[in-house]
Amino acid sequence: MSIDLSAQKKFKYILFTSLYFSEGLYQALILIVTPIYLIEKGISLPLVTLIAGIGYLPWGLKFVWGGIIDFFHKHGRKKFAVVGTIAGAFGFFILSLIDQSFSIIFFTLFLLLGYVGIGFLDSAADAWAIDISKKEERGKINCSMIIGKWVGQYIGALIIISIAVSFGYSISFLVSGLLVLVLVIVPISVKYEDRKIHQLRIWKLIRTEFKKITTKLTTLYFLIIVLQHALFFTFLVLYLKVVLDLDDTYIGILFALWLVVVVPGSIIGGVLSDKFGRKRPLYFFLVLVLIFSITPIFLSDFIHLIINFSILLFFLNGVISGNWAMIMDIINPKISASQHEIICSIVNFGSIIIGSATGTLFVVLGADNIFILVALLTLLSIMILYTIKGLDNMKWNT
């Protein structure tokens, strides 16, 4: 029996939460578990973040996955989301086998290949959300996506690490793959209406959309703020492991507990974005992100640092909800997969580069200067956001 999203509108939030939970679980593997896993294998910090960056490379190729999805638009979004989810599950299964006779080359290769599947999942889910959503609900839809992603990432990290501590990473990866495979039931159960588009000139429409100044400035803003996110989140794991010298299980528990601030931050950011427009809530959150990016420099005790990081994560997730709603607003629905994923590819290549270099930056600059760099990127993003006009008057050539 299939669930009709038009009849049961609230189920769309469950759908995108589940899809992004699967994605979040794989991101837990790359962004949180992989650094911890490789450090325990004796790999150096610069090489650790480089490998994580290579594994994250398909995120920079989202224009390819989005282009394929739009080229075969008659097949819809659902099939690609389902196939991508299954491919991500098998990525975990292969890593489970590799762990039994660890090879850094094969680990990196199959980390990369598994994430190709997740790339298709994410691209299809984004296009699907744009197709079925209205502007006044996109903040809340992005909120459900972000909650699913962070729950998958943070709880996923705790699950992977906890099982690994007790039974080894091989069993941990296997269990994670099975969990993702079970979650594919949700998108399969949804009724999908075929797109009523018979002819689609993808590249002509893409060129037209990217000539718009609002699209260019929004993409530039998005690039800078994603650089900030990538630097901070990659650095945070290293800071907890190396500077604060926390053990693996404690780091996993800490990320799980941070859901207490991540989820409300996402919800408030999404709701405010729908109610007051995209820019005003973003200014509020970004200024506070700027302040709490610098304050760790002046803190030394563990409790105050964790409180500061918690506040920072709250406001960061408010920013993320508003950002993704704003990106959806500038997307032409006819080419929702292609245009959305071209923008994502541009910004993700930046995040891959800075994420891969975070270990080296940490060694060369030191922790305090990384916090300052995060704050400077936040300030630059505020300045670019100020220049963006016409978000409420976007029109598309069809």
Side-chain angles (χ1 to χ4, degrees):
M1 181 178 177
S2 296
I3 296 172
D4 187 352
L5 290 179
S6 61
Q8 300 185 39
K9 294 182 180 180
K10 290 184 179 180
F11 191 82
K12 69 178 68 173
Y13 301 115
I14 297 174
L15 168 65
F16 294 115
T17 299
S18 70
L19 288 171
Y20 268 74
F21 181 90
S22 298
E23 179 185 322
L25 194 60
Y26 212 87
Q27 288 194 323
L29 170 65
I30 287 185
L31 300 177
I32 300 173
V33 177
T34 292
I36 295 171
Y37 178 72
L38 294 178
I39 287 172
E40 291 190 351
K41 294 288 185 182
I43 309 299
S44 66
L45 283 182
L47 190 54
V48 164
T49 52
L50 177 61
I51 291 170
I54 293 172
Y56 208 56
L57 189 60
W59 231 231
L61 299 173
K62 288 182 69 179
F63 68 95
V64 177
W65 326 134
I68 292 171
I69 291 168
D70 267 348
F71 185 79
F72 295 103
H73 64 93
K74 292 181 180 179
H75 296 287
R77 316 307 195 184
K78 173 179 173 177
K79 291 178 182 177
F80 289 101
V82 170
V83 171
T85 304
I86 294 172
F90 277 98
F92 272 115
F93 295 151
I94 294 171
L95 292 178
S96 174
L97 296 174
I98 291 173
D99 180 65
Q100 297 177 29
S101 54
F102 179 75
S103 164
I104 192 169
I105 295 175
F106 283 115
F107 179 86
T108 305
L109 175 63
F110 288 105
L111 188 71
L112 175 68
L113 293 177
Y115 217 59
V116 170
I118 298 300
F120 271 107
L121 160 62
D122 182 80
S123 300
D126 291 340
W128 198 351
I130 293 168
D131 288 351
I132 67 173
S133 67
K134 298 177 181 179
K135 184 173 182 177
E136 60 271 16
E137 63 182 0
R138 285 176 181 159
K140 293 183 283 291
I141 283 181
N142 277 283
C143 165
S144 70
M145 290 175 164
I146 293 164
I147 289 173
K149 175 183 171 182
W150 287 138
V151 171
Q153 186 167 318
Y154 290 178
I155 296 296
L158 178 59
I159 291 171
I160 294 172
I161 292 170
S162 298
I163 296 174
V165 169
S166 300
F167 304 102
Y169 276 98
S170 179
I171 300 298
S172 181
F173 294 152
L174 178 62
V175 171
S176 300
L178 290 171
L179 180 57
V180 173
L181 205 55
V182 168
L183 286 170
V184 81
I185 294 171
V186 179
I188 287 175
S189 67
V190 172
K191 180 181 178 181
Y192 185 85
E193 280 191 27
D194 293 333
R195 305 182 82 214
K196 296 177 175 62
I197 299 174
H198 302 293
Q199 188 176 8
L200 193 59
R201 298 178 179 179
I202 298 174
W203 296 113
K204 181 180 178 181
L205 285 171
I206 287 173
R207 287 194 299 269
T208 300
E209 295 305 320
F210 277 95
K211 286 179 181 178
K212 297 176 180 177
I213 188 64
T214 302
T215 303
K216 292 177 181 178
L217 288 173
T218 304
T219 303
L220 178 60
Y221 158 77
F222 203 43
L223 170 62
I224 301 303
I225 196 60
V226 170
L227 286 177
Q228 187 261 21
H229 296 341
L231 179 61
F232 174 73
F233 285 116
T234 306
F235 172 62
L236 180 59
V237 178
L238 299 180
Y239 190 87
L240 296 175
K241 179 72 176 176
V242 177
V243 177
L244 299 184
D245 195 28
L246 302 182
D247 64 45
D248 298 355
T249 303
Y250 201 99
I251 293 174
I253 292 172
L254 192 55
F255 273 103
L257 291 174
W258 269 329
L259 287 172
V260 174
V261 294
V262 165
V263 171
S266 300
I267 293 172
I268 292 172
V271 171
L272 292 180
S273 178
D274 284 343
K275 187 171 183 178
F276 298 106
R278 310 308 185 200
K279 291 179 68 173
R280 282 188 291 173
L282 282 173
Y283 285 133
F284 173 73
F285 285 118
L286 284 167
V287 169
L288 291 168
V289 166
L290 173 63
I291 293 170
F292 286 97
S293 295
I294 297 175
T295 47
I297 296 173
F298 308 102
L299 303 175
S300 56
D301 65 291
F302 176 79
I303 297 298
H304 285 115
L305 280 167
I306 297 304
I307 291 173
N308 189 99
F309 289 144
S310 300
I311 296 171
L312 183 54
L313 286 169
F314 175 88
F315 291 121
L316 269 175
N317 280 275
V319 170
I320 293 170
S321 288
N323 283 344
W324 284 109
M326 183 168 65
I327 290 297
M328 284 187 174
D329 290 346
I330 68 169
I331 300 298
N332 185 330
K334 278 186 173 287
I335 50 171
S336 54
S338 300
Q339 187 183 357
H340 190 278
E341 302 319 318
I342 287 173
I343 293 173
C344 289
S345 294
I346 292 170
V347 302
N348 286 336
F349 266 120
S351 70
I352 289 166
I353 291 170
I354 200 166
S356 301
T358 299
T360 302
L361 290 172
F362 187 14
V363 171
V364 173
L365 299 178
D368 286 355
N369 287 323
I370 297 292
F371 287 123
I372 292 173
L373 184 55
V374 169
L376 289 173
L377 287 170
T378 307
L379 177 60
L380 182 57
S381 69
I382 294 171
M383 295 168 64
I384 297 171
L385 180 63
Y386 180 76
T387 67
I388 301 174
K389 311 294 181 184
L391 283 173
D392 296 327
N393 301 304
M394 295 295 294
K395 296 182 182 298
W396 298 280
N397 296 317
T398 57

